[in-house]
């Protein structure tokens, strides 16, 4: 069960646009650079649903692993957020797993293999640090 961020939610009239990996409400447009893990190599914006009241949430998941971890879970349809954000949508929802509905956005950082030295060049070094979107991993899991 995630923390109920009443100190944030009670002060902002509009609903959050999305939640980070720790179910913290976010009000800016989603960007992979705003993932909770600053060392993230993969970031997913996932549409999930509360099992109890069926309310939908947009949640980020990220991985800081050097190899893809989220992409294989998407392909196997095993990617899960866990408990939905605790916005007190219903009495039991915050304490039960959510349903993964759809991968809305999948982002990754291209990896440069081998030693990163002056021969690689600044453009290649900078490209490694920027996220790229790959729509082939953006798919529907469940419509229910």
């Amino acid at each position: 069960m995630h923390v109920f961020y009443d100190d944030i939610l009670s002060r902002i009239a509009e609903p959050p646009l999305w939640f980070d990996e720790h179910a913290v409400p976010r009000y800016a447009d989603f960007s992979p650079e705003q993932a909770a893990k600053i060392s993230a190599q993969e970031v997913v914006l996932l549409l999930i649903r509360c099992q109890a009241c069926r309310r939908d949430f947009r949640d980020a998941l990220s991985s800081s692993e050097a190899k893809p971890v989220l992409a294989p879970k998407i392909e196997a349809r095993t990617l899960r957020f866990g408990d939905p954000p605790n916005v007190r949508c219903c009495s039991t929802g915050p304490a039960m797993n959510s349903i993964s509905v759809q991968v809305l956005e999948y982002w990754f950082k291209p990896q440069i293999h081998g030693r990163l030295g002056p021969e690689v060049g600044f453009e290649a070094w900078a490209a490694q640090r920027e996220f790229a979107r790959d729509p082939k991993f953006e798919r529907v899991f469940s419509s229910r």
Side-chain angles (χ1 to χ4, degrees), residues 72-118:
K73 289 180 180 180
I74 293 169
E75 289 184 320
R77 297 182 183 272
T78 60
L79 186 66
R80 302 284 179 261
F81 184 78
D83 296 342
N86 188 353
V87 296
R88 298 198 172 153
C89 56
C90 62
S91 61
T92 58
M96 55 185 358
N97 275 324
S98 60
I99 300 165
S100 295
V101 176
Q102 181 179 359
V103 176
L104 301 169
E105 297 182 25
Y106 173 83
W107 296 84
F108 71 102
K109 286 186 179 177
Q111 298 298 310
I112 297 173
H113 302 286
R115 195 172 142 276
L116 198 63

